[in-house]
Amino acid sequence: MSSIDESKQFVPLNIAVLTISDTRSLADDKSGAALADRLIAAGHHLAARDIIVDDVDAIRVVVKRWIADPGIDAIITTGGTGFTGRDVTPEAVEPLFEKRMDGFSIAFHMLSHAKIGASTVQSRATAGVAGATFIFCLPGSPGACRDAWDGILAAQLDYRTRPCNFVEIMPRLDEHLRRPKAQGASA
């Protein structure tokens, strides 16, 4: 079980929140607000917040811009992870991943199953890393966003969490880009 190492100092991250919805605005975006409120309460910085329609290209434009922004450490999306014709978040974001985070989906479904039972299979929550930025794609319900933050993200985005957390590996996410090729390497 994880625990907080109080001898370590909290490291605030810059986290962007993207709501994917054809019907919401910032004024009535309960899921995005729940995430923003929770990450700020935890001591992180809300680096950006936006709402975009359920469109693969539109989603990719925002996510790519945030991945390229050195001031954004993590991106959390909410919405578009279901099975309706307009639900395209995984299709938009997963091709951007350099590495998939399969364990996130498993952990999310375990938490979700405890709350909503077999209905958890209706979510395609996913996560990965791109451009040294963590990306988490959550369902559009406020409850699912609260569960994901409280049950997974709050601990994994806290440097003090032991035995391990995402923050401590952040400096190494792009090491493959910084390491020069060995002399004589042909690849």
Side-chain angles (χ1 to χ4, degrees), residues 36-53:
D37 291 346
R38 277 176 157 63
L39 72 89
I40 291 167
H44 298 294
H45 305 290
L46 181 62
R49 183 170 172 208
D50 205 351
I51 296 181
I52 196 78
V53 295

Side-chain angles (χ1 to χ4, degrees), residues 5-182:
D5 181 347
E6 298 293 343
S7 71
K8 299 207 176 280
Q9 184 174 352
F10 180 79
V11 175
L13 301 180
N14 296 313
I15 303 172
V17 175
L18 179 63
T19 299
I20 294 121
S21 174
D22 290 335
T23 60
R24 298 280 177 232
S25 68
L26 282 176
D28 64 359
D29 175 21
K30 293 179 183 174
S31 297
L35 290 166
D37 291 346
R38 277 176 157 63
L39 72 89
I40 291 167
H44 298 294
H45 305 290
L46 181 62
R49 183 170 172 208
D50 205 351
I51 296 181
I52 196 78
V53 295
D54 293 274
D55 176 80
V56 169
D57 293 330
I59 295 166
R60 280 190 190 151
V61 165
V62 175
V63 173
K64 282 180 174 181
R65 184 175 72 237
W66 288 351
I67 289 168
D69 185 337
I72 295 178
D73 301 310
I75 300 166
I76 305 173
T77 73
T78 173
T81 62
F83 290 97
T84 71
R86 297 292 293 157
D87 291 326
V88 295
T89 301
E91 289 78 9
V93 179
E94 286 180 336
L96 304 177
F97 292 165
E98 294 162 11
K99 296 189 180 189
R100 286 182 54 99
M101 192 183 304
D102 295 328
F104 174 82
S105 182
I106 293 165
F108 174 79
H109 285 293
M110 289 173 58
L111 282 170
S112 183
H113 188 272
K115 302 258 181 152
I116 64 170
S119 294
T120 189
V121 301
Q122 293 189 31
S123 168
R124 297 182 298 143
T126 187
V129 178
T133 304
F134 289 107
I135 305 167
F136 307 95
C137 301
L138 308 178
S141 81
C145 290
R146 287 189 298 267
D147 291 345
W149 181 267
D150 296 347
I152 304 169
L153 298 177
Q156 280 300 295
L157 297 176
D158 188 334
Y159 177 66
R160 303 167 302 165
T161 298
R162 296 289 167 245
C164 58
N165 60 76
F166 290 137
V167 182
E168 64 192 357
I169 63 171
M170 288 176 75
R172 297 181 53 213
L173 290 177
D174 65 350
E175 66 190 358
H176 64 290
L177 301 173
R178 292 180 280 127
R179 184 175 44 234
K181 285 201 291 187

